[in-house]
Each structure stands twice: as C-alpha cells, then as structure tokens.
Amino acid sequence: MKNRKHIVICEDAKTRITINRKWCKGCEICVEFCPQKTLLMEGDKAVVRDIASCNRCMLCELRCPDFAIEVSEGTGR
Amino acid sequence: MKNRKHIVICEDAKTRITINRKWCKGCEICVEFCPQKTLLMEGDKAVVRDIASCNRCMLCELRCPDFAIEVSEGTGR
Amino acid sequence: MSGRYEIRLGGSGGQGLILAGVILGEAAAIHDGKNAVQTQSYGPEARGGMSKSDVIVSNEEIDYPKAYRMDLLLALTQASFSGYVKDVKPGGLVVYDTSLVRDVCEGNYRLVGIPIVETATRAIGKSMVANVVSLGAIVELTGIVSKEAVEKSLMGRAPRGTEEINRRALHAGYDLVKNAEQKTTAGNR
Amino acid sequence: MSGRYEIRLGGSGGQGLILAGVILGEAAAIHDGKNAVQTQSYGPEARGGMSKSDVIVSNEEIDYPKAYRMDLLLALTQASFSGYVKDVKPGGLVVYDTSLVRDVCEGNYRLVGIPIVETATRAIGKSMVANVVSLGAIVELTGIVSKEAVEKSLMGRAPRGTEEINRRALHAGYDLVKNAEQKTTAGNR
Amino acid sequence: MGFDYMKYLREEKMPHIWCPGCGHGIVMKALIRAIDKAGLDQDRVVVVSGIGCVSRMPGYLDFNTLHTTHGRALAFATGVKMADPTLHVIAVMGDGDAVAIGGNHFIHTCRRNIGITTVVANNSIYGMTGGQRSPTTPLGDNTSTTVYGNADPPFDISALAVAAGASYVARTTTYHAQQIERLIVSGFENRGFSLIEVIGPCFVAHGRRNRARYKSNLDMYREEKETAINVTATKGKPQSELMGKVTIGVLHHAPMPEFTDEYQKVIEKATHVRTI
Amino acid sequence: MGFDYMKYLREEKMPHIWCPGCGHGIVMKALIRAIDKAGLDQDRVVVVSGIGCVSRMPGYLDFNTLHTTHGRALAFATGVKMADPTLHVIAVMGDGDAVAIGGNHFIHTCRRNIGITTVVANNSIYGMTGGQRSPTTPLGDNTSTTVYGNADPPFDISALAVAAGASYVARTTTYHAQQIERLIVSGFENRGFSLIEVIGPCFVAHGRRNRARYKSNLDMYREEKETAINVTATKGKPQSELMGKVTIGVLHHAPMPEFTDEYQKVIEKATHVRTI
Amino acid sequence: MTEQRETRRIRFIQGNEACAEGALYAGCRFFAGYPITPSSEIAEVLGEKLPRLGGRFIQMEDEIAAMAAVIGASLAGVKSLTATSGPGFSLKQENIGYACITEVPCVIVNVQRGGPSTGLPTGPAQADILQTRWGTHGDHPIIVVTPSTVAEMFTETVRAFNLSEKFRTPVVVLADEIVGHMREKLVVPATGEIEILGRAKPACDPSEYRPYDVSRGDVPPMANFGEGYRFHVTGLSHDATGFPTSDAATVHADQVRMTRKIYGRLEEIEKSEETETGDAEILLVAIGSTARSARSAVRLARERGLRAGLFRPITLWPFPDARVRDLAKKALAVVVPEMNLGQLALEVERVAHCDVPITGVHSAGGEAISPAQILAAVEKAVVR
Amino acid sequence: MTEQRETRRIRFIQGNEACAEGALYAGCRFFAGYPITPSSEIAEVLGEKLPRLGGRFIQMEDEIAAMAAVIGASLAGVKSLTATSGPGFSLKQENIGYACITEVPCVIVNVQRGGPSTGLPTGPAQADILQTRWGTHGDHPIIVVTPSTVAEMFTETVRAFNLSEKFRTPVVVLADEIVGHMREKLVVPATGEIEILGRAKPACDPSEYRPYDVSRGDVPPMANFGEGYRFHVTGLSHDATGFPTSDAATVHADQVRMTRKIYGRLEEIEKSEETETGDAEILLVAIGSTARSARSAVRLARERGLRAGLFRPITLWPFPDARVRDLAKKALAVVVPEMNLGQLALEVERVAHCDVPITGVHSAGGEAISPAQILAAVEKAVVR
Ligand SMILES: Cc1ncc(C[n+]2csc(CCOP(=O)(O)OP(=O)(O)O)c2C)c(N)n1
Ligand SMILES: Cc1ncc(C[n+]2csc(CCOP(=O)(O)OP(=O)(O)O)c2C)c(N)n1
Ligand code: SF4
Ligand code: SF4
Ligand code: SF4
Ligand code: SF4
Ligand code: SF4
Ligand code: SF4
Ligand SMILES: [Mg+2]
Ligand SMILES: [Mg+2]
C-alpha cells in the first residue's frame, strides 16, 4: 500500500495498525471480533480506539474482507 | 400371446412351457440358469429337453429378457 | 404541461430512489392519467455505488424510454450531482441535498439546494424517508403530478403502519420548497 | 473397366461384410490406383438385422457416393436377397449363397448361386471366413480389382496369425466360381 | 403362475431392439411385474426415459410414455410430477443417461425427494453408441474409448444418491430378477424419490471387448451372481472381505417429506397469507 | 506479521465489488496466504472460476486467471490441467456455480480425482443475481424465489463430494479465517482433487430477507462461530448433539491416484504397445 | 393480486412483471426456471403468485432442466412457462428442439442482454434475433413474438400462449432488457376480455388415438398424460402413431407438415404495427425497445419534412416477408436500427434488397439506440 | 500409425478417421468429447492415437464440459478439438460463444444427422447450416468449413486449425453423416507438405502484455497460461486489458473489431470449388455430400446440353456473398439442393435473389439427394 491520504496509521512501540479508509467498507467485522476491543467504528470506517490494548492476534486482519486493515509490529518510532 | 406357428408349447400334467420362437434371441440364459437342466439350446432357440424335470421355479421366465418363455401349470390335457 | 418531462433521481443504493421514481411514475400514469415510464440503473453501477431512477412523464405517448436531456435532476449524493448534471437540459432544474452535495457547479439550469436528509432525520426522525421528502419537494416545485396523485400512489406503496410517517415526509417536502431560497442562474453554456 | 461399378454386399450383422467391403475398396483405391467409395448401413437396420456394405469402384472420380443401381449384389441372407435385388441394374450380377438363400427370384440379371458358407465351413473350417470366400468369388467373377490388389489389401487387414487361413479362403472363393454353374437369365423386367 | 406381461406391453412393437442376452429386457419385465403388484392404474402411470438402449423401454410399455433427450429424463419427469402430483411417475435410465450427462438432474432429483421412482439399468457402458466408457466402467476395462484400459475411476451410483439426499436407495443385478421387482415395489411405497440401481450386462458393447473376463453374456450373469452380497449379510464383515463385492438389497431408507406434498403446503400458505 | 497481500493482488482492480461484510473477501485472503505458504510459482498458478459474486475473485488475483461460464469452472479447469499437468490449477466457485448448474462437473471432477484444488464459497444463496434460493439454502428460509419459505431441501456439498469420490474434502467457515488457509494448504498437498467448502454469509441477498435470524452480517458470522464443531470433536457424540451443527475440519482424506498421473501411464503404454 | 377479475385493473409495473401477469392471465399454472439477469423478476413474481392460484413454481438446477420440466408439465396438461436470458437460452436449445419435434405447447421468454457469453449481463441487446430462429439443430419452425412496451409484455405473452396451444408449438417471447425492466402503465384486462385458447383435444376413443394424426389438419389434437390416452412421445423422428420411424418418405413428409402448420397459416400468426408507412420513402424496420426510438425518429423526420415510416414486426418469426417486400418496394431506402451488429437487417436484405438499399444502425455495447442516431441515418439515406 | 512422416501414405478410411488424422497432422494434442453418433469414430481414433503422440484424450461428462475443456486446454497452449453431432452441438452453444468472445482458438466438428432433437441418429442431414452461424446468443463471427470428401475431412480439419490459430477464433468443421462415415482414399501428406500455423505470441515483456492488444492488427497476440504472462480471461465484455468493462463505446468498438477480424480478411478465409461455372446458365449451390450429387447432376445436365454449373462453398461462413452474387447474375436460375428444408437457399436468396429465381431441392428424411433429383430440378428450372 502506497502511503496516501486515505491510509491511516496508528502505532505504538509494539503495534502498528494500518487502515485503508478507501477500501474499508465499514462492515464492523474487525471491531466486533477483536478480542481486545482495540477497534471501533467511527461513522462507517473502522478506527483504532486504543492501540495499547492490541495483542497482535491478527484476527482483524485475517477477517477483514476488504484488505483494509493491517497489523504489524511497531517500528518503535 | 396368440397361438401362432412360432409358439411352441410343451406340456405335461404339471407343467406347461411356452416358447415364442420368434421372440427368442437365443441368449441361453434360460438354459444356463435352469436349476433342473430342463431346457437346452437347439440351434439358436431354446427348447424343452425334459418337461418332467421342471419344478416350475419360474426362473427361466423371470430371466428371459425377451418375453420368449413362459411357464405355467399344466392344463392336464 | 404537455410534451415530455424527464426527471432523474440520483443518489446511492439504499436511499430508496427507485421506489420514489416508481411512486412518481405511478402517480402520473395511474392517478393523473398521463403517460409515464420509469427506468433505473442495474448492474455494477447499481451495486453500492451510484444509483439512478429516471421518470419520464408526458401527456403523449412516450416512445424513447430513456432519459437523455433531463428537465429535472435530483441529486442526493455528490457523485450523482457531478455525474449527471451535464445531462440536464438548458433551463432545467437541479435539486440537491445541501448537506450531501457540497461541490455545486453552476450552469444553464436552476439550482435548488434544500436540506432533504436533515429534514427527514430531524423533522420525521427517519433518514430513510429522504426519498419521500424529495418526492414532496419535486411535486411542489414542478407540479408534474398532482398532490392527490402522489399521495394516493405513496399510500398504495407504503408498508402497512408507515402510512402516517410517509405522509408527513411528503408534506415536509412540500414545505421545504415553499420556504426554500431558490437560486437561479442563467449561465451561458 | 471404366465408369462406375456398384457392388452391394448384403447379409446380416456379424458376417463380416463391412470388412469385406473395406478390403475390396482398399484394393481398388490403394493397390489398383482406381477410385473407390465404401459405405455401409448404420442404426437399427444394422443392429442384428440386415447389414449392407456398398462399394463403388471407378476409374473416374466418384461423385455420388451411394449405390443406387447396382452392378453386383452379393446376398448372404434371404432378407438381403429379397430386399436388395430390385436395385440391381438390368444386366447386373447377383451372387448368392445357395444354402442361405432359398427363395431366388429371377429377373433381368445374371444369377450365380454358390455354396459360400459351406465352403468356408467345410474347406476352411471356419464359417467366419465366408466374407473372404465371397470376396474371392467376386474378384474371380468380375475382375473389378486385381488379385494382387485384393490379396495385399486382405493381408494388410487380417489379424496377425490369420493370414494363411484368409489367403486360403480367398482362393477357395476364386475356385468356387471357376467351378460354378452359372445360370443366366435374360428376363424382361 | 406365468405372469401375463401382455397387458402392459405394446405387443406390436415387440420383439424389442435389444441384443440377445441384454439385461434390459429383464429389467423391463421386473418393472412390469412391480407395477402390476403395486396395482398402479395403467392410465395414471407415466414412464419417462432419456436416450440410450434401455431408454427405448417406454416405447414397449403401454402407459403414458415419454422418451426424452439424453440425460434429461428426471428433469422432464419432475415437470410431469409437478404438473400433476397424483400421477405415478417412473423414470428409466442407463448409467450414461443417469450419471454421465444426466448427473446433475440425478443428484438434484435425489435432493428434492420428489415422488419419482427411478430405475437405473447400469451396464457400465454406453451401449447405444457402441461401447464407450461410462462413468461406471471399472478401472482397467477396455472400451472403444479406453483401448489402453480405463483410467477414469467409476462412480458408485447408489452411494452418490444417498449422499445427494435420496430417501430410498436399493441395488441389485439382472441375475436377481425377482429382487428387482421387490425393490421396485418397495420403491413405489416410499413416498418420495426412490432409486433402484440394477447392475446388468452388455456383452455386445462391453463384454466382447473384455474377453479375458467374459466369453459370453452368460459369464456376465455369472459374475453378477458371484459378486453380489446382500446388504444384510455385510453387517459386521470387514471391509477387506467386501472388496470386489456388490452390495445388493435396500441400501438406504430414510423417509422424508415428499416435494410435491411440501409444495402443497406452500400453496396453502400462499392462498391464506397474503403479502402485498 | 502483517501479510503482504499486494504481491498477489491486481491492486489497480481494488477495492473489489463485494458488498460490505461479504465473506468472499475473507476467502480470497485465505487463498492468497495458502498459495504463498505452499510456495507455488505465481506464473504457474491458474485460478479458474464460473459466474457469481465469488467467481469475480480471479479478476483481483495476479495469476493466470480464467473467469468462465456459469457452472463450468471445473470443466474448463480440467482442460487446463490436462493440457499441462504441471500447472497448479485452482477453482473457485459459489454454491450455485458449484452444485446448482455446475453439479455435474462437480461430481465428475471429484470422481476423476484430477489435480484441481477447489474452493467453494458457500453462502447458501445466489448472491450475484439478487438472492434466489440455491441448492444449499436451508429449509424454510426466505429468498426472492421462496417467499413462503424454502421447501426444497439442501445439499451437504462436502458429503456429496465424498460420495462422488473426492480424495480430500474439508470444510470450514469464513469466521475461521485461519483454518481456511490451513485447509487449502493441505488441499494443495493432496495429489488429486481437493475440495475446501467455506461456509460464508451473504447479508445483502440472504440475511436481510431473514431478519428474524440476522440483524446484520455480524449475526451471520456469529452463527458460523456458534454452529461450527470441529470434526475431531464430533467423534463419539450422538447424532442428536450434532443437529444444527456444522462439522468443520478435514472431513475426508483418502489418497488415490491422480488422473493426469494415471493418464501419463496411458501415454507410456500407448507409446510402447502398438496395436494395429 | 393476480386472480382473474371481473374488471380491469391499472398497474404501473415492470415489463417482466407484466409478462408474469400475462402468463397467469393466459392460464399458465407452471413455471420452471433458473435465475438470470435481466429476466429473474419473471420467476420471482411467479414464485409468489403461482401458488396463490394453485399453480406451481420450481427453481430447477439449470436452464436445461427448466426447459425439460416445462415440456413435461405441458404434456401433463398444464400451460407452462420458462424465462431466461442469452446464456440460459443457449443452454435450452436442445430441449427447445425437442418441444418442436414433439409439438408440445410451451412458452419461453428470452429477455435479451449483451452477448456473446456472459457479455453485458445488465446491458440491453437484440443480438439473439437469429438464434431464436436457428439456435437448435435440425429444421424446426418456431414462432417468436417481440413486445416493445410493458403492455405488450402482457398481451404478447398471452398471445404466445394462445399461439402455442393453437399450433402445438413452442413460442418465444423475445424481449430486451429495456422492455423487461422499465415500468409503464399496464391495463390488466378483465377476465374474458382477451380470448384464451387451449389445445385441441382428441375426440376419439383412446384406443384409436394417434398423437400425430393430421388427417383433420396440420395440427394434431393433443391428449394429456393421465387422461386415459396412453400415448408415446419421443424426440426421434416418428410417424402419426408417435413411434419412431426411419422411413425417409414419412419423416420428410412430416417435417414438411410441421413447417406448413406454421407457414401455411401466416395470417393467424403475423402481427405488426405500422407508423406512417402510407407514403414512406424511408422505411424503418425495428423491433422491441428500438422500435420506440425508431418511432420517435419517424416523428422527428416528419417534422423535418422527410417521409419516413416504421414497420414493426410484432411476430418476428415467421418473418413477414410479403409485407416488408411490399413496403420496401415503395421506399427509396430502408434503415434497420437494432441493438446488435446487423441481424434483422439480414432478413430484410433477403426479402427486400433487390428493391432498395438497406442500411443498419447498430449498437452492440449495451446502450439503447437513440432517436437522434436513427434520424441521422434516415437523413443520410435520403442524401444518397 | 499417426506420427508425422517423411513420406506420404495412402489410406482407405472413413471421413471421421480422416478428420482425426487431419487434427493430428495439424498439431492437435488434446481432445475432449462425449460420444454421439455419427461422430464417435473421431473420438475413438483420437482416444487411441493421441497418447501415442504424447497427447491427451478425455471423455467428459457431457458436451458442455467437453467444449469447456477444449477452451481450457487451448489457453494452456495446446491445440484442441471436440467432435459431436446436432444434440451435442446445441449443448455446446453457450461455450462456443465463450470461445468467440475470449478469442480462444479451437476446432469443433459437427457431423450432422437428422434433427431436430434426437431425430434420425444415423440418418444424414445438413440442417445445422444456420445453427453453426447463429446458434449461440449474441453477435459473434465464426468460421465454418464444409468438407465433401474423405480427403477434405483431412485437409479441411487441418485448415480449420490453421484458421483458428491465425484468427484466434473457434472454427467449425461442418460435415454430414455421409462424408463422416464413407470410406475413400486419403493421401496423408508428408510432414511439412501442408503448412501448419500456430498462434501469434506476444513479443513484449509480460508486464506490458495486454491480451487484447489490437494496436498491431485485429488479431491480438496470445500468450499461454503458465508462460509468465499472467493475464485474465473473461466471458464478460472486456477491454484490451482483458478485464471487464461496461463502457458502451469500448464494447461496441470491440464487437466491431471482432467481426472485422474475420470479415475484413475474407480472402484468407474463403475457399470454394467451381465446376463448369464458366458459362453456367443454371447455377447449383451445394455443400458437403450433396455437392457430390450436384456435381453428378452437372455432368448429367451437360450431357443433355444444359449449361449447368456448380458452386461449392468450402468455407461456408463467412458466406461467399460476392462470388455467389456474381455467378447468380450470369445465371438464368439457381438451384440449391440440401438435406434440409431450405437453409443454404435462404443465404443464396439474400445475396442473389434479385438477379435470378432460386429453387431448392430438399430431403429432410435422412436420405441423400440423388443426382437424378437434382437433374430434375435443373430441367424444371430451365423450362420456367
Ligand atoms: C446430447 C446427446 N449426447 C450424446 C448422445 C449420444 N448417446 C445416445 S445414448 C448414449 C449413451 C447411452 O448409454 P446409457 O445411458 O448407459 O444406456 P445404454 O445404451 O447403455 O443402455 C449416448 C452417449 C445423444 N443422443 N445426445
Ligand atoms: C447459464 C447462466 N445461467 C444463469 C446465470 C445467472 N447467474 C449468474 S451468477 C448466478 C448464481 C450465483 O450464485 P453463486 O454461484 O452461489 O455465487 P454467489 O453470487 O452467491 O457468490 C446466476 C444464477 C448465468 N450467468 N448463466
Ligand atoms: S490484532 Fe487482534 S487485538 Fe489487535 S486489533 Fe486486531 S483483532 Fe484486535
Ligand atoms: S473489517 Fe475491514 S472493511 Fe470491515 S470495518 Fe474493519 S477494516 Fe473496515
Ligand atoms: S421353471 Fe425352473 S425348472 Fe422349469 S424350466 Fe424354468 S428354470 Fe427350469
Ligand atoms: S432366455 Fe429367452 S431369449 Fe434367451 S434363449 Fe431362453 S427363451 Fe430364448
Ligand atoms: S448394445 Fe448392449 S445395452 Fe444395447 S441392446 Fe445390445 S447388449 Fe443391450
Ligand atoms: S450479494 Fe452477497 S455474495 Fe454478492 S457481494 Fe454482496 S454479500 Fe457478497
Ligand atoms: Mg449403459
Ligand atoms: Mg452463493
């Protein structure tokens, strides 16, 4: 994914969550099934509520039907 | 079956075997699987060898694919 | 009115514009005794994305059934405004929702901006009835069908139990127009 | 010989007449450098019942590929004799098996009755080669193909191990004719 | 004694076209006896077939008879049954008809459990067209399209029917002529889709090409006799002992609602509940 | 972490056409990961589909991709595989594609055990055409063609595949995203035909019409989660406890010779043994 | 509500819905189909309405099965319908031929979309014109009607059933996406307002019944399965008894008879509409939704002083050779607009090209042809 | 033995066998089929011979699957064939349209028997003439060749493959039962004696490959699956990239281009044979086995002093409009014998009827038309 305006990155030392707002269709799957309640819906897009709570289980990424959310290790920036 | 020339009837007191020589295609099934060896092939048609040996098990009639052999009780004629 | 009058209801899937078009067409064809043809977009264009419902009303027989030089465009999304406005005929009418359509370009048509969705949500309590509010606005603006006709048609199509809310939405549409500021531009396109 | 010569080999399925026709056609077309077309009957007619294999031989190109006025009919069953004899052309030749065809009607054709199946069974020991015996008889009678050609063709088609028996059958066919009484009738059909 | 087949035969069409020793005649006779035993009204029986040797059967049977296109018998039969659910609809098909080109209709008709009694005369070959491999031809067999031995594994038609949802599935062979009749009769009794698979010989187009196993059609019947094992006798037997065996008898019977009956409920709902 | 899907996506074709919450995207991602994990050469992978929502998948995938006619994916795939058995041939179909119009190709491809890895995205509905009943729609459901409730009983696709002869049959749901991937990878490892059935939601054309069960697509995912039971956990459980459950995991694995391998033997025979 | 009524009803509905209503009005009580855009609404409406009238609806496993089921149901005496679009219509071809040779009445709707193959599933086209005539193998006469309004989707479906029953033949309603999907006013006639025909039934004793007895005319009376006439139906060539024959003379004669049963009674089958053809120098020939554009074009042309006229075949097949030839003879030019690359034009060419030059106006990309495009062609035709 | 050889071989074989041999000569290495009379021998011969050459043969579950498999195999780079007769040909129609729109080379043999439906499975016919042109839905150009001798079953099959590869299009070999089943001499040419064409391959880098790039001509170069060009193939209307589009202008232009790729290069496709046409007053037009009878009839007519001549289209579609029109212009009458009720005649009528009266000689009962029947029609035509 090229870094464009619609790409929103949320990051802490351990975790980096990237959401492609153009591709996100607002299905809420990532939010609903995140075991940590890390995510929430803001209008019809998923956003990170609390990056620190993420345990990087990857379930949101695995289940997002739209290739719109990506979880990786924080770059420590 | 109307009684025509090609209908051959062989009968004793107990048994009547009717063979339709026009329909018989000579497959030998009746002969081969008659438990009493009552029948035999004559050229390419089945014929009765020994009517007395027949036990009226009906197997020949049941298996004849051509509706060409019929077993019934003898009329006692 | 005589002759052919072309209306396009443009928006996105789920806004109920197809139904609005059907109600309008039915009002004209059945209750006002005119001729009407309603068509809509199908296929990828219709799924999720832009949706359009075209109604042609005429006192004469309608041959060509597709809208091609619109007398009126209703735009409930920016995309439908931008995409369809070029097909409005000179001197035509463009009605748009003031909250959803922000980038309004002027041309040889009359622009009418009204808060349709807001009205539906605030006054009626259901954004879903924006389509009926729009209907009211269009009828008030153009008189293309009689109010009796559109009301009969609406009542015939409204699911049981929603008659009242729909009637209110329709009237809210009438009222919106009565109160609205009308911008008219006579561009030289 | 020049011009078209039509041969029908008629009998019942299983008598190998199709193959005989193919051997004859091949002899003419490949080994004698003539033109030949072979056709046969398909379908219900072919299953169990009557079977026919037609060969047309010509020095010229053969257009119409179906036999319709036969120069020669070979009949290995009564049914094929009775069914096909009417299509033999005036002055044509009818060869039949004397044991299988009993009801011979005369007409404007030459009748040649020979004990084909008997020869196959007695002289060769295999009724199966009646087709090849027939071939020999036809070749001897008509010279429609050369003996070298028919032998080459036969050897090319005979399954390995059966070459000798087939050659003997062919020659038995030649001999049959040489010895046969030939009935000729000049009816006035 | 001596069953009178003539009542149900179009005698003027006889003798039939099947080759000497072909099992299709045995199946036809058993079907006639079964219809008679079940007491079905001759005028209310419809026999439907596709294309193939066995599919010529309806032509000989004095019922309402429908000889359709290759593979489509069950789809036509479904239309007949839907139009008039009180008709007794019987389908007769070959293995090619039923599970080669007709495989889709076969599984869907099983699934739907519509009241069609289906007899598949499975001779493991395309008889009509001269002996090409069918989807039930055993591995290794010679056919006109598998001259190096068949490499295309066969279906178990009955197992397929069970998995597809058929409520009654039975199998036997042409050797077991009486059992065919009995199995068809119980097929009639099952309200819904019933399959009776009858394994039979085609010496002319199949046996002849596999002389190592079959010198004549009789060898094929003998094989049926020898390889058959009644389903009741298989209980508890280890898989190894059943290798090469053909299980016969009622393989599966699990009654479930018949489709036109269920549709009748739809009609009742529709004529009562009125949605706009 | 963070799998890079872009290597295998035709990014310029994204976002895909599927509705919000549609499970097809989850299947596509799992397939991509499985291909990556199995290390298949991108140039040697052919993805074949029929017609339907999920059958649009190949358009997004950067392989050799073939979007065919409705129901015929496996028949096209068979041609591709026969022409070049070294290609990795993958078929993706919907339930309608696979077992409605495509049912015959489905059972025959299972039977043949040809090396095609097949993913059926079973959402129990015809999504593409707007929500008509499919052969996997549950009894009683409302669809655009069953407004009085569906009376046409559904298939168990996996069971059908097993009976048809498939050598590897696995099932899971879109909720079990990781398991899809694993099951596809082991499908690749099975030499022959492998079926991976993935049960998924179509809220737009199915769920919406059955509001009593589903308020949103999330309810459909929840149902997948709740009804699924791993096959390993079913052992010994009485049938009654499994009612309404969906068994997931590898349901059947019985390796058998792959068809193009067997055909290679035919070629070898043919080039050595010469008949006249 | 779809029950037949004492009074007319006015509705504002889609062409596809009107088609379904027409089927019900004509007495259709069985539908078998397989969904496909842009015809699915016909199935959906009938899935809801048929059971209300005691009729039956079934969604089959594919289009082949749907066609088969429809024929089976018709043989059991129930008027039957199927509906599809191009891909499904292609699949039905074999069984359409079966209905032709067995002379089983039934109606097939094809709502045309862009082709070939999957093509443009939601784009209109008229590219199956020649397929409806020649799509199945072997000689086979067939009747094809082409509605161009929502009202005609109703009336032509009724007529299709009537023709089908009267002539014992499958009839195709060849619509296009535009006509199928647009909404217009439909006046549903009261019961009895349009005459509904059924098939001629045998009067003889069952034992004497011959299903293809044409001694009293080219259309043999037809018994239903289950009525006591135990007859045989086969897709093999057959004689009057219904049993197979391969007697060449019999088969040839029967093929000729089957053609004659349609072509010999054209006056009962042909239907067309003419607009300003009286003095037309430029003749337009068009069907379906394109004919509507053509009618507009005629008006525009007349406004410009051009003597244009439109001939619209409503019965497309058998093609109205005679009338088209007559009109063409009087014209200076013929213009054939159609949503394809030229199919109707070939037929017009066959019957009329010696008399007049023919030009086509084509659109094969899924877009309606506008009156302006046709007008341009008319103007050009005049100049030449 | 079927391997290609240094020297010619002479064989006496059936037309169907010659067709199979022609396919092998042309480089066909895949066959998928479903048995049907009277075409089954083609499958049977190839089932035996393909594996000897390392090729592959598969008997599919039906004709639809066979057509699909053939397209799939061709996309993987292998020349592919299927063979069938009427009922199977009807079933293949949808996928034939797929091959047209995706422009995948392949050859389909239809050995015609009597129709419609099951008809006369072993009787000859020529009643699929118009179906080969119009059988699938949607506009689609197609090439159809019609052999009339065993030798032509070979050469026309070779030519069919060559045309198919050259033009990226399905090609139909339309034979009839007589030509398929009769035996004649076939001289199998030595390797190299007939030029064998392959498809034009892309020269560009895979990243730049556009599967329908027509910038260098109407026939786009074609990569095979697995070669590194990862492209998309769809039966939806698509643009040069191969991906779906519903842009009307693009789709229309592409449909026009696909027609042009065939109709624009007629000289490379047309093939015909003329017998005594130089001064012909009575023009016969016939194909396949009927053309043989017609040639006899020409000779018989000439013997009687009648100036008859025969035009035999070998490429049937695209139809040789220009030549038929020219010949018809010079003639006093045209006679079209065909084993059907008049199909070829309609096409002749289209191109020529303004110039000359046309009569047909028909046989639809499964019997060949004899030279005498044709002669009678010629004599009658003269009298008129
Ligand atoms: C569409 C179509 N394809 C192929 C055929 C040719 N055909 C006729 S019968 C048959 C197979 C018959 O085999 P099966 O159903 O097993 O019956 P059997 O002859 O063995 O009794 C085939 C392939 C056809 N008639 N129609
Ligand atoms: C021959 C043919 N018949 C019907 C259709 C219409 N059609 C397109 S997709 C589809 C069903 C799709 O359902 P499914 O395969 O389950 O896929 P989904 O859309 O649910 O993912 C149908 C009926 C078609 N394209 N072709
Ligand atoms: S990785 Fe797991 S914990 Fe983190 S946001 Fe995603 S689902 Fe929640
Ligand atoms: S799962 Fe994906 S598409 Fe759905 S809300 Fe989350 S990020 Fe958006
Ligand atoms: S009835 Fe039994 S014993 Fe008697 S002849 Fe027949 S088979 Fe033999
Ligand atoms: S079983 Fe029947 S056909 Fe066979 S030999 Fe005996 S009587 Fe004849
Ligand atoms: S070919 Fe086989 S199946 Fe057909 S009739 Fe003969 S034996 Fe029976
Ligand atoms: S209609 Fe259903 S299957 Fe199709 S994209 Fe939408 S949710 Fe998915
Ligand atoms: Mg069979
Ligand atoms: Mg689905």
Side-chain angles (χ1 to χ4, degrees), chain E residues 37-276:
Chain E
K37 193 173 236 166
L40 307 187
D41 176 354
Q42 198 161 351
D43 283 337
R44 304 291 298 163
V45 170
V46 183
V47 187
V48 187
S49 70
I51 297 291
C53 289
V54 76
S55 285
R56 287 298 192 96
M57 191 186 294
Y60 305 110
L61 294 174
D62 191 8
F63 302 106
N64 303 280
T65 53
L66 181 54
H67 178 228
T68 70
T69 45
H70 189 36
R72 317 302 173 190
L74 289 172
F76 281 82
T78 296
V80 172
K81 185 75 183 174
M82 284 295 281
D84 185 350
T86 66
L87 290 169
H88 304 288
V89 182
I90 297 166
V92 179
M93 297 176 288
D95 43 322
D97 225 20
V99 298
I101 192 169
N104 206 26
H105 314 302
F106 182 78
I107 58 176
H108 281 269
T109 316
C110 290
R111 177 181 62 67
R112 213 170 264 135
N113 198 39
I114 189 165
I116 300 170
T117 308
T118 299
V119 179
V120 174
N122 176 6
N123 58 10
S124 308
I125 202 78
Y126 295 165
M128 186 59 123
T129 42
Q132 296 82 10
R133 190 210 118 245
S134 101
T136 58
T137 302
L139 281 172
D141 272 22
N142 287 324
T143 73
S144 75
T145 47
T146 60
V147 295
Y148 307 105
N150 177 28
D152 216 334
F155 275 139
D156 178 333
I157 297 182
S158 288
L160 188 63
V162 173
S167 54
Y168 173 92
V169 176
R171 177 163 54 202
T172 187
T173 83
T174 50
Y175 178 83
H176 302 84
Q178 252 172 317
Q179 194 180 27
I180 308 175
E181 174 191 334
R182 281 198 306 271
L183 295 175
I184 297 175
V185 171
S186 32
F188 288 144
E189 284 159 8
N190 174 55
R191 197 159 175 94
F193 181 86
S194 304
L195 171 70
I196 298 91
E197 178 188 358
V198 184
I199 291 174
C202 168
F203 182 70
V204 170
H206 181 214
R208 258 209 307 220
R209 282 201 179 79
N210 295 277
R211 290 270 186 193
R213 293 212 306 284
Y214 312 117
K215 301 278 166 290
S216 75
N217 69 71
L218 298 176
D219 286 334
M220 304 186 87
Y221 285 100
R222 269 186 223 109
E223 186 185 72
E224 291 176 9
K225 177 182 171 187
E226 283 153 20
T227 56
I229 176 165
N230 208 292
V231 64
T232 52
T234 62
K235 301 268 146 71
K237 285 237 168 81
Q239 195 55 34
S240 59
E241 255 182 64
L242 297 175
M243 281 283 289
K245 291 281 178 194
V246 173
T247 320
I248 62 172
V250 179
L251 307 182
H252 175 79
H253 190 193
M256 59 180 242
E258 195 271 338
F259 185 73
T260 62
D261 288 345
E262 291 304 291
Y263 199 85
Q264 200 52 45
K265 296 183 193 155
V266 168
I267 292 176
E268 274 149 31
K269 240 192 210 168
T271 45
H272 288 95
V273 181
R274 306 233 144 151
T275 59
I276 24 156

Side-chain angles (χ1 to χ4, degrees), chain H residues 36-203:
Chain H
I36 186 166
T37 307
S39 79
S40 302
E41 295 84 0
I42 299 172
E44 290 167 347
V45 169
L46 289 172
E48 184 182 338
K49 298 206 167 175
L50 271 171
R52 290 202 209 162
L53 301 175
R56 290 181 179 84
F57 167 92
I58 190 167
Q59 189 179 316
M60 295 297 285
E61 50 273 20
D62 63 20
E63 288 89 347
I64 299 172
M67 190 65 220
V70 154
I71 298 169
S74 182
L75 281 163
V78 175
K79 290 187 185 178
S80 300
L81 179 76
T82 186
T84 188
S85 185
F89 195 62
S90 287
L91 290 170
K92 285 180 198 291
Q93 290 304 328
E94 190 197 9
N95 281 341
I96 290 176
Y98 184 88
C100 291
I101 199 174
T102 54
E103 304 181 60
V104 174
C106 56
V107 176
I108 303 120
V109 183
N110 175 358
V111 186
Q112 293 166 96
R113 66 189 216 183
S117 192
T118 313
L120 294 165
T122 57
Q126 298 177 312
D128 307 349
I129 286 177
L130 287 164
Q131 187 195 26
T132 50
R133 178 67 192 89
W134 300 111
T136 195
H137 63 284
D139 282 306
H140 59 284
I142 198 162
I143 298 176
V144 179
V145 301
T146 57
S148 92
T149 63
V150 168
E152 277 186 357
M153 282 295 272
F154 183 96
T155 52
E156 287 305 304
T157 302
V158 174
R159 198 164 72 94
F161 271 100
N162 281 347
L163 290 169
S164 177
E165 295 287 328
K166 185 169 180 184
F167 292 98
R168 280 192 70 170
T169 184
V171 176
V172 178
V173 177
L174 186 68
D176 59 57
E177 188 273 342
I178 296 175
V179 173
H181 273 162
M182 73 185 181
R183 285 186 178 80
E184 281 185 315
K185 176 158 57 185
L186 167 69
V187 181
V188 181
T191 310
E193 210 171 318
I194 305 181
E195 190 190 4
I196 302 303
L197 304 179
R199 57 196 69 167
K201 311 282 302 201

Side-chain angles (χ1 to χ4, degrees), chain G residues 90 117 119 137 139 235 252 341 354 364, chain H residues 90 117 119 137 139 235 252 341 354 364:
Chain G
S90 289
S117 193
H137 63 283
D139 281 307
H252 180 83
L341 295 178
C354 26
Chain H
S90 287
S117 192
H137 63 284
D139 282 306
H252 180 83
L341 295 178
C354 25

